[in-house]
Amino acid sequence: MIPTETVYGLGARMRDPLAVASIFRAKGRPANHPLIVHLHDLSQLGEIAASWPEYALELAANFWPGPLTLVLPKRSSVPDEVTGGLDTVAVRIPNHPLTLALLRELGEPVVAPSANLFTEVSPTRIEHLSPKLLDSVAMVLDGGPSEVGIESTVLDCTLEEPVILRPGSVGSQDIQEAIGLAVGTGGLDEKKKSPGHHPRHYAPQVTLHLTDEPLGDRPGLGFALPTTPFQICMPGGVPDFARALYDALHQLDRMGIQEAWIQAPPRTGDWEAVWDRLTRATHRV
Ligand code: TXA
Ligand code: MG
């Protein structure tokens, strides 16, 4: 288990087929859900990607190390198991001193999905790690609470203009400002291109409802529970809310809460990544 600034990851050396296979097994993850390759230096990009547009380099210069994943045409040397058979590969340089040191020391690419069981909530602290997953790992690196708190923005960079496949803390506005190009939002085809995207994902055990009603008499966003006066108060701003979100969901589950309400955040563009996670966490199957 490795800490990153977004969420904890379940890491394996990209070129070790047994280790890569054990990631899918441990998470219960379908084999066609591609993994993100983690690097420590831009000079390694050529080992992974066959080509990249100029704007991808500008993005790397602006946001790496950081919570932005670029999807690029893959080199044939990247194992098919890693990309779920796709001809593209997702890559990022994470921004966490421990993991950067590990990657540097190791000197080779590491694949790392979020360290949660399939469809469950990603961990942002080691206390969130599932005992079932802990059974199958060799080592846990405790890097403290994740700074960003939600998974990286995944950006398709195989077209003339980039397209967001998974919203994250790096928003389309940030990307547009960095490269001076419009960002596509993607249609149905783009959804198909990112097979790891499920309507119900990041979902806690607790049944969660979104509500526009203010909860209780406390200001701000929060989780309210039906039977007790207990409430988790969430911070108001986007970065603070995102940082606290998964911890709150893990807390509700740990307490064995059956049902809870969360006050809907504003419906403005800066809340897009938070909305994406809340929509999935409250999706009924
Ligand atoms: O913040 C993060 O990205 C964390 C940390 C540990 O780095 N990792 C993470 O990995 O969230 P995972 O495996 O839980 O999510 C990877 C996402 C999925 O939505 C997957 O579909 C997408 O990235 N993805 C990976 N490779 C892709 C590819 N070649 N084309 C399109 N989407 C891809
Ligand atoms: Mg994940």
Side-chain angles (χ1 to χ4, degrees), residues 193-204:
K193 279 172 90 173
S194 205
H197 241 86
H198 254 235
R200 182 170 171 82
H201 205 156
Y202 319 110

Side-chain angles (χ1 to χ4, degrees), residues 3-4 42 46 89 129-130 132 143 158 175 208 219-220 224 241 249 260 269 275:
T4 85
L42 188 56
V89 62
L129 296 170
S130 141
K132 225 176 123 193
T158 60
I175 294 168
L208 261 189
F241 187 100
L249 296 178
W275 265 109

